Amino acid sequence: MTNSLRPNGPRRAPLPPAERSTETAATPRSAPNQSSGLPSQPAGATAAVAAQPGRARDAFFDNAKYLAIVLVAMGHAWEPLKGQSRVLEAAYMVVYAFHMPAFIIISGYFSRSFDMRPDRLKRLVTGVAVPYVVFEVAYVLFKRWADDDPSLPVSLLDPWFLTWFLCALFIWRLTTPLWKLVRWPLPLAIAVAMLATTSPSIGDDLDLQRALQFLPFFVLGLCMKPEHFQLVRRREVRILSVPVFAAALVVSWWAVPRMNPGWFYHRDSAQELGVPWWVGPVMVLALLGCSLLLTACFFAWVPRRKMWFTALGAGTLYGYLLHGFLVKGGDYWGWFDHKWLHRPLGEIFVTLVAGAAVTLLCTAPVRRVFRFAMEPSMEWAFKRDATELARERAKAPA
């Protein structure tokens, strides 16, 4: 991938994206209490019932996560092809405008009950920090072997390729108690993102520029309630979303030769994108509005009922992290160099293959194989919680 991945440059990370059972964005196993997400419910059920903890998973959120991860994989597969197709590049810009914001909003929504309780901190470590370390090292070793680049260093401070999201999610989750404490969390998060675009000195460490610029979407998720999702799932919103998406494609087609797509990656300051500093805050507000509008349209078309792919929503972290090896391998080994792939039928073929591949990587057999890296229990690494021990003693027979 070229613009968003920068495989040979100092910034080596694009998107979308992630998840794990309780602590990651994509697999909330709990209601806002980190149990199991909003439950599935028949038409007409109230939002209050939907918000009750301990209920079954809500098919809407699993469907949204699966569809978003498919768009992530397709966007990465389009990266090597889009330079010769203005239509494909326009579609690429539209997808990049909302697929990560959608993931991050869901991440924030299911982080609302996060606090510094020991069991939640443990899940944050095992579900986010450990996969980050494992895949940061794995991607570097894979590039060393597949791209014949033995000098590439392993650096846990410089997220490479897809691992930026895990790093950002770790930071966002740790700051959740702060956002729940302040009086105006969303305006404050927007101000932080605007200031970040004026600060090229932030550098690449932990991909903080991206974490700060995407922060408003996470904080928005923290502020949302079940009824907010009900608003975009109405029939009239679904109908209005069709012309909105059509207009977005037309505007993107017009903007392809006129706009730097780097704005959609949220990883650079305004100065690094070659514009005056004041353009950064303006673009933050403009893209925030566009992203939220398209995200609402996306949510409007997400099915609410159980579909054949609903169960795959629990495995989107697997699809997210594993599909990167296929995309990078295709880049290293010249899979995208065939001329016929750069024609319309070839682009459609690549799109379908990317969707099928990431779907396979979200399935239960793949999750069983890679659970050691994605969802390790690591009981050996943590002290037993005093409350849990006291509970066990109380249950023990005298």
Side-chain angles (χ1 to χ4, degrees):
M1 305 178 59
T2 55
N3 291 335
S4 67
L5 302 190
R6 298 191 190 175
N8 299 316
R11 293 177 175 271
R12 303 182 298 275
L15 284 165
E19 107 194 56
R20 140 117 168 111
S21 49
T22 51
E23 280 307 317
T24 62
T27 317
R29 289 186 191 255
S30 56
N33 259 348
Q34 290 172 300
S35 28
S36 80
L38 293 181
S40 299
Q41 53 197 338
T46 64
V49 172
Q52 292 178 8
R55 306 277 299 244
R57 297 176 67 98
D58 189 329
F60 170 78
F61 288 102
D62 280 335
N63 292 339
K65 291 179 293 181
Y66 167 76
L67 294 174
I69 200 63
V70 168
L71 290 174
V72 168
M74 289 179 176
H76 289 159
W78 291 344
E79 180 78 24
L81 308 177
K82 66 184 179 66
Q84 300 179 24
S85 172
R86 186 168 176 176
V87 172
L88 188 62
E89 191 147 3
Y92 176 89
M93 291 175 68
V94 171
V95 167
Y96 265 62
F98 74 88
H99 67 359
M100 278 314 297
F103 254 119
I104 296 169
I105 287 172
I106 295 175
S107 301
Y109 180 75
F110 286 104
S111 298
R112 293 184 302 162
S113 63
F114 181 85
D115 52 28
M116 296 301 175
R117 213 172 70 183
D119 61 326
R120 288 173 178 160
L121 286 174
K122 182 172 75 171
R123 287 197 297 269
L124 181 62
V125 170
T126 58
V128 179
V130 171
Y132 169 73
V133 173
V134 170
F135 279 87
E136 178 70 15
V137 173
Y139 272 123
V140 172
L141 295 180
F142 180 72
K143 179 172 173 58
R144 286 182 178 183
W145 168 71
D147 199 30
D148 193 21
D149 185 11
S151 63
L152 183 68
V154 175
S155 173
L156 298 181
L157 295 179
D158 188 8
W160 197 81
F161 194 30
L162 302 175
T163 57
W164 74 268
F165 182 79
L166 295 178
C167 186
L169 183 60
F170 188 86
I171 295 171
W172 296 332
R173 281 273 169 84
L174 282 181
T175 61
T176 293
L178 171 63
W179 299 112
K180 292 191 295 183
L181 178 66
V182 299
R183 182 166 300 191
W184 299 291
L186 186 56
L188 179 58
I190 294 173
V192 170
M194 293 170 67
L195 289 173
T197 63
T198 69
S199 307
S201 60
I202 289 178
D204 297 334
D205 289 349
L206 300 179
D207 226 341
L208 279 179
Q209 187 70 255
R210 204 189 299 250
L212 295 176
Q213 290 192 35
F214 273 116
L215 177 63
F217 299 105
F218 182 81
V219 175
L220 175 61
L222 289 175
C223 298
M224 292 184 71
K225 298 178 180 179
E227 52 266 31
H228 296 138
F229 288 98
Q230 296 292 340
L231 290 175
V232 300
R233 292 160 67 172
R234 296 179 299 174
R235 183 172 181 270
E236 55 269 31
V237 177
R238 194 156 54 248
I239 294 173
L240 286 173
S241 67
V242 175
V244 169
F245 267 119
L249 286 169
V250 171
V251 172
S252 296
W253 186 87
W254 173 86
V256 164
R258 298 174 175 86
M259 181 178 178
N260 186 340
W263 288 109
F264 293 100
Y265 309 143
H266 297 282
R267 68 175 175 218
D268 298 304
S269 65
Q271 295 91 324
E272 290 171 307
L273 291 173
V275 296
W277 68 268
W278 58 266
V279 177
V282 173
M283 289 299 294
V284 165
L285 293 177
L287 289 177
L288 179 63
C290 293
S291 296
L292 291 180
L293 178 61
L294 292 177
T295 299
C297 293
F298 168 71
F299 283 149
W301 278 97
V302 171
R304 352 184 153 181
R305 64 185 185 278
K306 284 192 175 182
M307 308 290 288
W308 64 267
F309 53 79
T310 301
L312 302 178
T316 49
L317 176 63
Y318 293 79
Y320 174 71
L321 291 174
L322 293 173
H323 89 275
F325 292 101
L326 298 179
V327 172
K328 299 303 287 184
D331 188 19
Y332 300 150
W333 299 323
W335 294 351
F336 297 103
D337 294 340
H338 299 285
K339 292 183 179 179
W340 69 273
L341 292 179
H342 295 260
R343 302 188 182 101
L345 287 180
E347 293 165 356
I348 293 173
F349 172 77
V350 169
T351 301
L352 294 176
V353 169
V358 77
T359 297
L360 179 64
L361 295 174
C362 292
T363 57
V366 174
R367 287 154 54 192
R368 282 195 295 269
V369 171
F370 290 96
R371 183 165 286 124
F372 74 94
M374 309 281 198
E375 303 177 80
S377 62
M378 297 184 63
E379 296 296 335
W380 54 268
F382 300 97
K383 296 178 179 179
R384 297 291 301 275
D385 181 35
T387 304
E388 182 182 349
L389 289 173
R391 193 179 298 119
E392 291 180 359
R393 292 193 197 100
K395 292 180 179 180

